Amino acid sequence: MSDAKSRMIARAARDIAPGMTVNLGIGLPTQVVNHLPANFPVCLHTENGLTGIGPTLPPDAADRNLIDAGGAYVSTVPGSAFFDSATSFALVRSGRLDLTMLGAFEVAENGDLANWKIPGKFSPGAGGGMELAQKARRVAVLTTHTDRAGNPKLLTRCTLPLTAAACVDRIFTDMAVIDVTPAGFALRELAQGVTVADVRHATGAPLHIPGDAIPIF
Amino acid sequence: MRLPDKTTTMEQAIAAIPDGATIMLGGFGVPGTPFLMIQELVRQNKRDLTIIKNDANETGMGVDHLLVAGCVRRLITTHLGLNANAIRLMNEGAIEVEFCAQGMLAERIRAGGAGLKGVVTDIGIDTEMGAGKQRIEIGGEVAMIETALRAGVALLHAARADTFGNLRFAATARNFSPLMAMAADTVIVEAEEIVPPGDIAPDDVHTPGPFVDHVVHVPQLSGEYAVVRR
């Protein structure tokens, strides 16, 4: 993984506050857990029916019945609980999930998120993504700022089918931390070695720049 | 008084399932998937099935055997991401796929199991998942109706069952199974261990026996139940 991606993931981890219940989506967000301090007080939830996710285990140490929603073999911690799928999503929809971190194909300046379908190319179904995006109290996105072809993923409007409308609060990318505000995208922090002009150039929507100094991560 | 004994053989339990049946399958990925009963469905060459399951397992495993053998007409599911074969069959039109939001699949099944007609929700309302669904105004907000799901048969895997059908599931193998146990006309359980009634303490029962029709002992699990080495 590139340094920029690692720094993005480490930066995202700093938004997890002590005491939160958090769901980390499949892909980059799952790795956020590796950047939490040891003994950090947080409860991680996974859709397939576990709160209190412990460390990921190699195959030889794994329990065949204990996975996360992405299929990784995980473990429990003291205080973990198992439950059925209805209970798992009751936790999501009732507002008990303080934060979810999700991947994205596109995010719009009003917070619309598209991360589940590219018509004609990729349509495996949304899994639990719609409920996470729509009902977690806070939704953060972790994504590269542009796609592999260099096209912006932060746009005025999403072109792909939505996962949920107006749901994203904050976006962590390899270039910046950007909040979704009533006025659109607002730059909060810059990655090391990245300029405001770089971020503007790589963003497909207007970007509000704060008047004071921009923190670097 | 004693509680009835529901143990039977897998061959007999599966033989009663007709072609064209709607079948709920427990499991989220490997944990909870009744791989041996799925193999028996294939062996008995059931046709024209509607399968309701969270996912289609992975290529070469579980539900995929049903797809390859041409047993499935329709699949109601939440995610096919780990089974490229299922996605290909869907894209070719060989199987019909209905996608549900994962928690909505759970609630639709729970509603079916609870004798309700559906669920009123706003999940997916702003997306194509909400297209074509009946809208309803409730509490000043617009929501939509997700219809309840029931099946002719549910096939579930339990870690432990007593002969009456009280069940315990292991770790994340629980997932959809307790919900499906309530939502099918006939519930068939394969259990790794079968014990006399009373050996599962009343407070420890995950699914109460009256929901279960048949219990099949599977002392020897196949390789599909093992830890997947990707």
Side-chain angles (χ1 to χ4, degrees):
Chain A
M1 184 181 302
S2 71
D3 281 359
K5 260 192 194 172
S6 296
R7 279 199 301 275
M8 163 179 81
I9 293 166
R11 173 61 192 85
R14 297 210 305 274
D15 264 28
I16 298 179
M20 278 183 165
T21 300
V22 179
N23 183 300
L24 299 173
I26 296 167
L28 288 178
T30 308
Q31 299 175 34
V32 170
V33 69
N34 302 328
H35 294 268
L36 290 174
N39 273 322
F40 189 82
V42 64
C43 173
L44 298 178
H45 163 262
T46 182
E47 300 95 288
N48 59 321
L50 166 63
T51 46
I53 308 176
T56 303
L57 298 175
D60 289 332
D63 173 344
R64 64 186 164 88
N65 289 312
L66 184 39
I67 62 171
D68 66 15
Y73 290 93
V74 295
S75 55
T76 55
V77 296
S80 293
F82 298 121
F83 35 80
D84 65 55
S85 298
T87 307
S88 190
F89 281 91
L91 191 151
V92 175
R93 292 193 306 269
S94 66
R96 285 284 168 185
L97 201 58
D98 297 300
L99 170 67
T100 189
M101 293 189 173
L102 301 170
F105 299 146
E106 295 175 343
V107 183
E109 62 181 353
N110 69 342
D112 286 359
L113 171 66
N115 74 354
W116 75 288
K117 185 173 184 178
I118 302 173
K121 283 189 186 164
F122 177 83
S123 57
M130 287 187 172
E131 281 151 308
L132 291 171
Q134 199 174 330
K135 296 297 182 181
R137 297 171 79 93
R138 186 170 169 79
V139 176
V141 160
L142 266 82
T143 178
T144 53
H145 208 93
T146 58
D147 68 17
R148 279 178 196 161
N151 301 306
K153 297 175 84 168
L154 280 60
L155 304 169
T156 307
R157 292 183 69 84
C158 291
T159 64
L160 295 169
L162 295 189
T163 306
C167 62
V168 176
D169 297 292
R170 173 164 277 195
I171 307 156
F172 299 98
T173 80
D174 47 349
M175 299 181 79
V177 177
I178 290 173
D179 280 346
V180 175
T181 73
F185 290 134
L187 181 66
R188 297 297 186 220
E189 298 177 29
L190 283 170
Q192 283 175 38
V194 174
T195 67
V196 170
D198 293 336
V199 179
R200 272 223 164 96
H201 181 71
T203 303
L207 187 65
H208 298 272
I209 313 297
D212 29 346
I214 302 168
I216 306 292
F217 69 91
Chain B
M1 192 163 30
R2 65 184 180 86
L3 291 165
D5 185 318
K6 298 173 182 173
T7 54
T8 184
T9 66
M10 183 172 301
E11 186 172 1
Q12 208 169 355
I14 299 295
I17 301 173
D19 287 348
T22 296
I23 303 178
M24 289 178 176
L25 297 174
F28 188 127
V30 168
T33 300
F35 291 105
L36 286 170
M37 288 198 289
I38 290 171
Q39 282 184 353
E40 185 65 13
L41 288 173
V42 173
R43 196 187 69 81
Q44 294 192 17
N45 196 27
K46 306 291 182 188
R47 313 306 290 180
D48 202 26
L49 303 176
T50 294
I51 297 295
I52 302 173
K53 188 183 188 291
N54 176 65
D55 55 274
N57 294 111
E58 299 176 42
T59 307
M61 293 180 71
V63 171
D64 195 53
H65 297 309
L66 288 168
L67 300 177
V68 168
C71 303
V72 180
R73 182 178 64 82
R74 188 154 184 268
L75 181 59
I76 302 175
T77 190
T78 79
H79 196 259
L80 302 177
L82 290 175
N83 190 339
N85 189 43
I87 292 176
R88 182 180 58 77
L89 290 170
M90 171 179 73
N91 291 342
E92 288 172 357
I95 55 168
E96 189 187 322
V97 176
E98 177 184 341
F99 284 118
C100 281
Q102 199 164 85
M104 281 301 110
L105 182 65
E107 287 301 321
R108 291 178 71 189
I109 294 167
R110 183 161 75 161
L116 306 175
K117 298 299 180 192
V119 176
V120 178
T121 182
D122 63 351
I123 294 299
I125 196 160
D126 297 318
T127 75
E128 62 181 53
M129 208 84 101
K133 286 175 182 159
Q134 189 182 337
R135 302 282 163 126
I136 182 171
E137 196 182 312
I138 186 161
E141 290 182 281
V142 179
M144 59 191 187
I145 294 174
E146 290 277 10
T147 54
L149 281 174
R150 283 193 62 85
V153 184
L155 303 182
L156 311 176
H157 180 92
R160 199 171 202 219
D162 65 26
T163 53
F164 178 55
N166 289 308
L167 307 179
R168 282 183 66 75
F169 307 99
T172 58
R174 193 180 319 184
N175 55 69
F176 286 83
S177 294
L179 311 169
M180 291 175 169
M182 300 189 288
D185 299 335
T186 300
V187 174
I188 307 171
V189 175
E190 53 163 62
E192 295 175 32
E193 185 189 7
I194 296 188
V195 298
D199 276 23
I200 302 175
D203 261 344
D204 292 342
V205 171
H206 291 152
T207 286
F211 286 113
V212 174
D213 296 285
H214 304 295
V215 179
V216 174
H217 191 203
V218 286
Q220 294 285 326
L221 299 181
S222 64
E224 287 181 287
Y225 293 85
V227 169
V228 180
R229 291 165 189 269
R230 294 189 181 87

